Amino acid sequence: MTGARDHGGDLAAAITRFGGPPADWIDLSTGINRVPFPVPPVSAEAWRALPGRAALDRLTAAARAACGTGWPVLPLAGAQAAIQLLPLLAPVGPVRIVAPTYNEYAGVLAGAGRVVEPAGDLAGLAGAGLAVVVNPNNPDGRRWAPGDLRALAGRVGLLVVDESFADPHPELSLLPGACPGNVIVLRSFGKFYGLAGLRLGFALGAGDLIARMAAAAGPWAVSGPAIEIGAEALADFDWRAASIARLTAETARADALAAAAGWTCLGGTALFRLFDTPDAGAAQHRLARARIWSRIFPYSRRWLRLGLPGNPGEWSRLADALGA
């Protein structure tokens, strides 16, 4: 069942296990930007009326501009909403996913009766009816060049490229180029803009694929407040540039703190880092004693993932917890 799959952000589980009120905790278990876009006032109309075509058009135009693309766009309630629709689109043939990665892909597709085969790299996806690549990958930050992904598209039935963590890494995105007929790109809004609770994301791809997803999603797939806030945030290129610069600089700071604690950085993105530790469970417990929550993985005894702190106080607490 979907509810049984583990994810970051389960702060309630941390509190149950280690105690303390929520306000005492710093949740670094996700890759969500802890310096969010400042939420503007939301109009009364956005709250009380069904979302209209003009508002949706403004949002999709802002999304295209932010991604530098002319591809057809479908706003949805997060990239997760698009993942739920994939079983309706997947052609016959094997389902292959570059793994390990975000576990909802395998869970949703297996739950729909598809046999899912993990692949170690792009070459292992060739011949799949449906191929999934997260670029950059979660949790290890592996990344693939757009040209290699375009070449792969010619060797699979349908290629899904999840760019949920690509905002700080625009050079990785497929979206500025031509739109292949068998590729769907997923983009998250909540991670980079730090507003995951808004539940907003986008599917981009060829018109027929997007039309099928739109029909399955139904009308009003995104709330009025999400449309209004998302359109304003996506149009703020100054905030975007400043956030990319800050996050990029702060990855080195996180890596240095971890190295001083004896951990090795295995990779990551400008929104999270993955570390090799002697014992991930013990490392998580060490941080939890300082009320800092992190992410560990059932398939590795050594891997621990950390998001980036959001202010000087959070950085100081992380440094103290790691003994730096």
Side-chain angles (χ1 to χ4, degrees), residues 33 35-38 62-69 163-173 175-176 187-193 202 230 232-248 270-271:
N33 186 353
V35 185
F37 181 81
R64 285 195 186 98
C67 296
T69 190
E163 296 185 356
S164 288
F165 291 100
D167 286 85
H169 309 282
E171 72 283 357
L172 298 178
S173 180
L175 295 174
R187 295 293 290 246
S188 168
F189 172 85
K191 293 179 177 64
F192 175 70
Y193 287 90
F202 304 93
E232 184 159 339
L234 289 163
D236 193 333
F237 282 75
D238 289 341
W239 184 91
R240 179 184 183 87
S243 296
I244 290 173
R246 175 185 57 81
L247 290 164
T248 301
L271 287 164

Side-chain angles (χ1 to χ4, degrees), residues 7-313:
H7 297 287
D10 55 342
L11 193 57
I15 292 171
T16 298
R17 184 177 173 190
F18 296 100
D24 286 353
W25 284 83
I26 303 170
D27 188 0
L28 302 184
S29 69
T30 74
I32 297 167
N33 186 353
R34 289 187 62 80
V35 185
F37 181 81
V39 177
V42 178
S43 70
E45 187 72 8
W47 287 111
R48 69 188 179 206
L50 289 171
R53 174 49 53 189
L56 275 170
D57 287 347
R58 179 175 174 236
L59 175 63
T60 56
R64 285 195 186 98
C67 296
T69 190
W71 292 28
V73 181
L74 175 64
L76 291 163
Q80 181 65 43
I83 295 172
Q84 300 296 139
L85 300 176
L86 292 182
L88 304 177
L89 303 177
V92 296
V95 174
R96 295 178 183 153
I97 302 172
V98 175
T101 194
Y102 182 55
N103 62 24
E104 285 293 328
Y105 283 102
V108 167
L109 289 159
R114 302 299 296 268
V115 175
V116 178
E117 303 171 359
D121 54 26
L122 295 190
L125 300 178
L130 170 63
V132 178
V133 182
V134 179
N135 189 36
N137 191 46
N138 172 19
D140 57 16
R142 281 185 295 170
R143 45 197 78 187
W144 291 271
D148 293 337
L149 293 171
R150 289 181 177 277
L152 174 64
R155 304 169 66 193
V156 301
L158 176 66
L159 175 61
V160 176
V161 180
D162 186 331
E163 296 185 356
S164 288
F165 291 100
D167 286 85
H169 309 282
E171 72 283 357
L172 298 178
S173 180
L174 284 175
L175 295 174
C179 179
N182 68 327
V183 173
I184 295 172
V185 171
L186 306 185
R187 295 293 290 246
S188 168
F189 172 85
K191 293 179 177 64
F192 175 70
Y193 287 90
L195 299 172
L198 199 66
R199 304 313 305 139
L200 179 62
F202 304 93
L204 302 96
D208 62 330
L209 291 172
I210 295 302
R212 290 169 62 190
M213 296 182 78
W220 313 300
V222 180
S223 73
I227 292 170
E228 197 165 284
I229 294 168
E232 184 159 339
L234 289 163
D236 193 333
F237 282 75
D238 289 341
W239 184 91
R240 179 184 183 87
S243 296
I244 290 173
R246 175 185 57 81
L247 290 164
T248 301
E250 288 181 344
T251 58
R253 184 177 183 182
D255 293 351
L257 289 177
W263 301 353
T264 301
C265 181
L266 298 176
T269 73
L271 287 164
F272 64 81
R273 313 302 289 164
L274 181 69
F275 300 107
D276 180 69
T277 74
D279 182 327
Q284 184 182 60
H285 193 278
R286 173 182 178 181
L287 291 170
R289 288 198 302 270
R291 300 292 188 261
I292 298 171
W293 194 227
S294 56
R295 176 76 192 281
I296 60 176
F297 301 90
Y299 50 79
S300 173
R301 292 183 58 255
R302 299 178 63 93
W303 286 11
L304 181 140
R305 192 188 68 190
L306 278 179
L308 300 183
N311 58 54

